[in-house]
Amino acid sequence: MNAITDLHPFLDGKPKRLFIGGKWLEAASGKTFETHNPATGEVLAQVAEGDAEDIDRAVAAARAAFTGPWSKFKPAQRQAVLLKLADLVEAHIDELATLDTLDMGAPISRTRNNRQRAVGMLRFYAGMATALHGETIDNSLPGEIVSFTLKEPVGVVGAIIPWNGPLTATIWKIGPALATGCTVVLKPAEEAPLTPLRLAELCVEAGVPPGVVNVVPGFGETAGAALAAHPDVDKVAFTGSHFTGQSIVRASAGNLKRVSLELGGKSPDIVFADADLTQAVPGAGMAVFANSGQICSAGTRLFVEKKIYDEFVGRVADFSKTLRVGDGRDPETQVGPLVSQEQLSRVTGYLSIGRQEGARPLSGGERLTEGALAKGYFVPPTVFADVRDDMRIAQEEIFGPVISAIPFTDIEEVIARGNNTTFGLGSGVWTRDVGKAHKLARAIKAGSVWINCYQAMDPAVPFGGYKMSGYGRESGIQHLDEYLNVKSVWIKTD
Ligand code: ADP
């Protein structure tokens, strides 16, 4: 045993392979890549590096399963598989949470907390598996002619996920596929491929037939691009940056495959002077500091009503200084490292840009390098005051624990400024005035509006973007429609 194999039962020192057609295979090229612990820089495992040839093999396996055994599964049988998988995820949640923490850095308190969400999603999709149905529609044609619709699985789904929540991101893609009868080729993010691979093992245990779920780790420009362009993939479900989302849409043109996109954001979080500030201070703080700001719907543009601006922003900065930054494996840790050296460079780059643009850091502002933190990619929670709308830190997605705090004076002004972004994923409003709350709920151009809370999520409630934050919805019954075709059937009966 060496130190790495002591960390986790899944880390056995052997290279991790691709999961294709129910088998564990090496990449056709024989290549592997390393995956690291971002808290320490240690290599956790070598992982087979899939590319276009492996994507071909996986798509062929997914197609064979789709037209073969999986198509014979009745809804209740797919439901049973999903329920078994939910039980397995629940039974193994500590192990899965630890793997997420090791591979992408999030605090164990957060990844363990995913239990309800991960298991709840699988049980929600299980429920939906037997609730899908078409409609009988009265038509107005002369004579006797009946019309009704069938809902049919779209087919082979290419799922491309990011690294910021591997367990839940994987379930968010394979759950609706299993419920609707689709098959999946999942490409995990190169930064955090381990949990999706472990989940593939649990899929086998749950009775998912070979080829229904395939997992092909590899890089975006090779494996990801091959999946997005593949002529035998019927739909791509993508979560990641808007730049990649645009290239996925371009790649989809070859066979006009369906695409759903959950992309980035620069979400406004609006605090009125009448809000309950004792709730709003930690609420606005954690709207950005949770997962070290690596959440696409983080409320990074903090608009604060001018009369409380200095007090409120000061209190958020004080709150940020109380948060414990460290290795995610420590149960006391509240803010873990950023996922990679690349992400560290990006976030610290924005810290410099913010200062150069004239924003004033009230907390954080520099990479942490004391003691053991020097080996990892740690940036403390940072609050920039005196931010103007035209600064880059107020416009561009940083994907780090950085709040850009901006003053405003009235409601119409903050609606216009809040919406003045190319993105539209999340948004927050803190107020005790129900009239203001309703007005903002309608006026904000974003897929989610959280009032007196932030980042509430539930498997039954749809989530997704407006504008450059993408299209399509995940969670809710709308999610299942993304994986279904509607067929109209006409039968002349006279
Ligand atoms: P992030 O900046 O959050 O890493 P990306 O959009 O780069 O977001 O990555 C999200 C996912 O998209 C990852 O799995 C990555 O490998 C994949 N990806 C990156 N580039 C491409 C591409 N050109 N085509 C398909 N997938 C890609």
Side-chain angles (χ1 to χ4, degrees):
M1 282 251 185
N2 64 35
I4 294 294
T5 51
D6 283 345
L7 289 179
H8 196 280
F10 191 60
L11 302 175
D12 54 7
K14 295 189 199 136
K16 296 293 159 197
R17 299 193 201 179
L18 317 175
F19 184 63
I20 297 178
K23 298 198 178 76
W24 294 95
L25 305 175
E26 282 173 21
S29 67
K31 284 201 250 174
T32 60
F33 66 100
E34 292 174 345
T35 185
H36 296 92
N37 176 351
T40 61
E42 287 168 297
V43 176
L44 294 170
Q46 297 287 333
V47 180
E49 184 191 322
D51 63 19
E53 199 176 337
D54 305 293
I55 291 292
D56 266 348
R57 293 197 282 176
V59 171
R63 177 62 61 193
F66 178 69
T67 50
W70 190 230
S71 67
K72 312 271 179 328
F73 270 59
K74 299 281 183 197
Q77 292 173 294
R78 299 200 304 270
Q79 179 176 64
V81 168
L82 275 159
L83 288 173
K84 181 85 193 289
L85 186 59
D87 289 348
L88 286 166
V89 168
E90 189 164 43
H92 291 274
I93 193 68
D94 279 351
E95 181 217 315
L96 293 162
T98 307
L99 208 50
D100 264 9
T101 292
L102 284 167
D103 214 10
M104 55 69 66
I108 191 73
S109 54
R110 175 182 172 82
T111 53
R112 277 208 191 112
N113 239 337
N114 277 335
R115 174 175 170 277
Q116 196 189 354
R117 186 163 151 64
V119 176
M121 282 197 285
L122 286 166
R123 294 197 175 129
F124 170 78
Y125 297 119
M128 291 308 296
T130 53
L132 305 171
H133 54 78
E135 292 170 307
T136 307
I137 303 163
D138 283 342
N139 64 71
S140 304
L141 296 184
E144 300 291 320
I145 182 160
V146 174
S147 46
F148 62 91
T149 58
L150 298 175
K151 294 268 181 94
E152 298 184 334
V154 293
V156 175
V157 175
I160 303 176
I161 60 167
W163 40 262
N164 58 346
L167 174 64
T168 49
T170 305
I171 290 173
W172 233 2
K173 305 294 187 220
I174 66 174
L178 294 175
T180 53
C182 292
T183 57
V184 193
V185 176
L186 181 109
K187 213 267 325 142
E190 45 272 52
E191 294 85 350
L194 296 176
T195 312
L197 290 168
R198 174 68 185 119
L199 215 51
E201 292 183 344
L202 295 183
C203 283
V204 175
E205 226 178 305
V208 175
V212 172
V213 171
N214 306 274
V215 181
V216 183
F219 291 92
E221 314 78 67
T222 49
L227 190 56
H230 202 289
D232 203 29
V233 169
D234 299 296
K235 169 198 164 67
V236 167
F238 173 72
T239 306
S241 67
H242 72 282
F243 296 111
T244 307
Q246 289 171 317
S247 68
I248 289 201
V249 172
R250 284 191 289 271
S252 73
N255 67 336
L256 291 176
K257 57 175 68 68
R258 296 253 301 258
V259 178
S260 55
L261 303 168
E262 199 261 273
L263 309 177
K266 192 71 189 175
S267 300
D269 193 11
I270 302 169
V271 183
F272 288 95
D274 64 27
D276 176 348
L277 299 189
T278 53
Q279 283 195 39
V281 167
M286 292 317 285
V288 178
F289 304 141
N291 218 28
S292 300
Q294 302 169 123
I295 299 182
C296 37
S297 48
T300 48
R301 284 185 301 145
L302 180 60
F303 288 97
V304 184
E305 196 167 346
K306 205 166 206 160
K307 53 188 162 197
I308 57 159
Y309 180 84
D310 287 332
E311 179 207 341
F312 186 80
V313 176
R315 281 173 67 178
V316 176
D318 290 344
F319 168 77
S320 75
K321 291 176 196 159
T322 68
L323 295 173
R324 200 151 147 181
V325 182
D327 190 322
R329 282 172 295 173
D330 181 342
E332 303 290 312
T333 292
Q334 291 162 294
V335 176
L338 297 170
V339 73
S340 62
Q341 176 63 53
E342 190 187 342
Q343 195 59 21
L344 176 70
S345 307
R346 176 192 164 105
V347 174
T348 50
Y350 276 108
L351 296 178
S352 312
I353 291 168
R355 277 192 299 272
Q356 282 157 20
E357 287 180 315
R360 191 162 47 96
L362 298 183
S363 62
E366 304 274 357
R367 177 186 179 183
L368 296 174
T369 51
E370 280 158 39
L373 298 183
K375 290 198 204 140
Y377 315 128
F378 292 95
V379 168
T382 296
V383 177
F384 272 121
D386 303 341
V387 177
R388 293 187 319 268
D389 296 351
D390 63 352
M391 291 180 178
R392 285 182 63 192
I393 58 164
Q395 294 186 348
E396 296 171 22
E397 188 175 36
I398 300 173
F399 230 58
V402 184
I403 287 179
S404 300
I406 310 167
F408 74 92
T409 41
D410 75 64
I411 185 165
E412 298 301 338
E413 170 210 328
V414 79
I415 290 170
R417 291 169 65 197
N419 282 336
N420 189 13
T421 163
T422 52
F423 295 111
L425 192 58
S427 59
V429 179
W430 301 84
T431 180
R432 285 193 175 97
D433 178 336
V434 71
K436 264 186 212 160
H438 273 282
K439 188 175 169 106
L440 272 285
R442 288 180 186 274
I444 294 176
K445 303 267 179 290
S448 296
V449 183
W450 288 291
I451 295 171
N452 296 328
C453 60
Y454 206 92
Q455 210 70 62
M457 301 278 269
D458 186 272
V461 182
F463 178 83
Y466 280 35
K467 303 193 273 184
M468 295 279 280
S469 294
Y471 41 77
R473 291 291 176 271
E474 296 192 299
S475 295
I477 49 175
Q478 292 81 354
H479 197 178
L480 286 303
D481 286 330
E482 306 283 344
Y483 288 69
L484 292 167
N485 278 325
V486 179
K487 178 186 279 173
S488 297
V489 182
W490 299 85
I491 305 181
K492 196 161 183 322
T493 55
D494 59 5

